Amino acid sequence: MINLLDVADRIDRAETAIGAFDVLAGVADGHGYGHSACMEIPKTNKLHPDALAIVKMPEIWVEHYVTQEFALIDPVFRRAASDVLPFTWAEASAHSTTAQRRIMNEATSFGLNHGLTIPIHGPAGYCAEVTFAGRKVDDDPRVLMALRFLATVAHDRARILVRRGWAEDLPSLTKRERDCLHWVAAGKSDWAIAQILNISETTVHWHVEGAKRKFGASTRIQAIVAAIRFGLLYP
């Protein structure tokens, strides 16, 4: 089984973005995922000049993918931009169009029969995805959970090395937003937080929702994790 702490430590000690991803790719390869990629998903038609784009896929497939402009309709890209949970390529293409199914069918001829994608969302609408693919893969739920964790670690390390952190995208929380998130993280209800801060429950809810919007989070837990991750909240 994968030693998560050991692998995470090796990723964090990597000195280049590709080096960090190489550690992750090596682990994934040991479970049948011989191909992988870490791609930032642009918010517009223009990709940031320092956007993450680490691709360990068959070169001929990448060239074909780009030439055919598959990124415009790829069901994997589309789902990664709107979902927060890992998903398989089979799940992404379950309700796809004929054109989208063509992409998935053609991928199999390059040894990309099965895929697993981990969406990664950050502040200010930031979105990326880490994808693993192979001909015959290990679908043990424990392996998938480990890859999900390590994909996030590798992405974060790569982004820090490429763009020196999240500073340009980092939202600022007001004191009230930070206070409310702090007490939410402590397990307090809106009523209890209102009593502690001497404000109304409605105001507590408003501040928490404001913090969620700034992080692009759909749940309170996601907002708390994001705030801790970017040093705006301490556990």
Side-chain angles (χ1 to χ4, degrees):
M1 194 57 190
I2 302 172
N3 186 325
L4 292 179
L5 295 181
D6 176 64
V7 177
D9 180 62
R10 287 193 285 132
I11 290 172
D12 274 339
R13 285 189 283 107
E15 297 182 355
T16 65
I18 293 177
F21 197 71
D22 280 345
V23 176
L24 172 64
V27 172
D29 188 30
H31 293 274
Y33 296 97
H35 307 288
S36 52
C38 178
M39 297 289 295
E40 184 170 336
I41 300 174
K43 290 180 283 187
T44 64
N45 291 330
K46 186 177 180 180
L47 194 61
H48 191 285
D50 293 324
L52 280 178
I54 303 173
V55 181
K56 294 181 177 294
M57 297 279 182
E59 288 186 17
I60 190 170
W61 165 249
V62 175
E63 182 179 350
H64 180 63
Y65 187 96
V66 172
T67 301
Q68 297 297 314
E69 297 185 334
F70 282 164
L72 298 176
I73 58 172
D74 189 342
V76 173
F77 252 36
R78 290 196 171 192
R79 179 156 178 170
S82 60
D83 208 339
V84 296
L85 297 176
F87 57 87
T88 65
W89 285 5
E91 291 171 333
S93 59
H95 303 288
S96 58
T97 64
T98 300
Q100 290 173 328
R101 285 195 295 273
R102 174 194 166 199
I103 298 176
M104 311 311 290
N105 290 335
E106 291 188 14
T108 62
S109 62
F110 295 89
L112 309 174
N113 300 63
H114 304 282
L116 171 70
T117 295
I118 293 90
I120 297 175
H121 294 268
Y126 175 85
C127 181
E129 55 93 5
V130 176
T131 284
F132 306 103
R135 192 179 300 278
K136 187 177 181 180
V137 302
D138 185 350
D139 59 0
D140 184 329
R142 294 172 299 176
V143 171
L144 303 187
M145 185 179 297
L147 289 177
R148 178 185 184 183
F149 168 73
L150 295 174
T152 302
V153 175
H155 165 271
D156 290 356
R157 181 58 178 164
R159 175 156 173 152
I160 287 172
L161 291 168
V162 169
R163 299 173 65 176
R164 291 177 173 80
W166 300 78
E168 64 187 69
D169 292 333
L170 195 62
S172 60
L173 295 179
T174 66
K175 183 179 184 305
R176 279 299 192 207
E177 287 170 344
R178 188 180 292 107
D179 288 344
C180 288
L181 278 187
H182 167 79
W183 289 113
V184 169
K188 300 296 184 182
S189 66
D190 284 3
W191 180 86
I193 297 172
Q195 300 305 304
I196 293 170
L197 299 179
N198 195 31
I199 56 180
S200 70
E201 285 185 64
T202 300
T203 302
V204 171
H205 180 78
W206 185 79
H207 284 306
V208 173
E209 290 301 306
K212 284 169 57 181
R213 284 192 297 274
K214 288 181 177 180
F215 287 119
S218 57
T219 68
R220 292 185 170 201
I221 293 298
Q222 289 174 2
I224 291 168
V225 170
I228 293 173
R229 185 173 166 192
F230 303 125
L232 300 177
L233 189 68
Y234 297 94

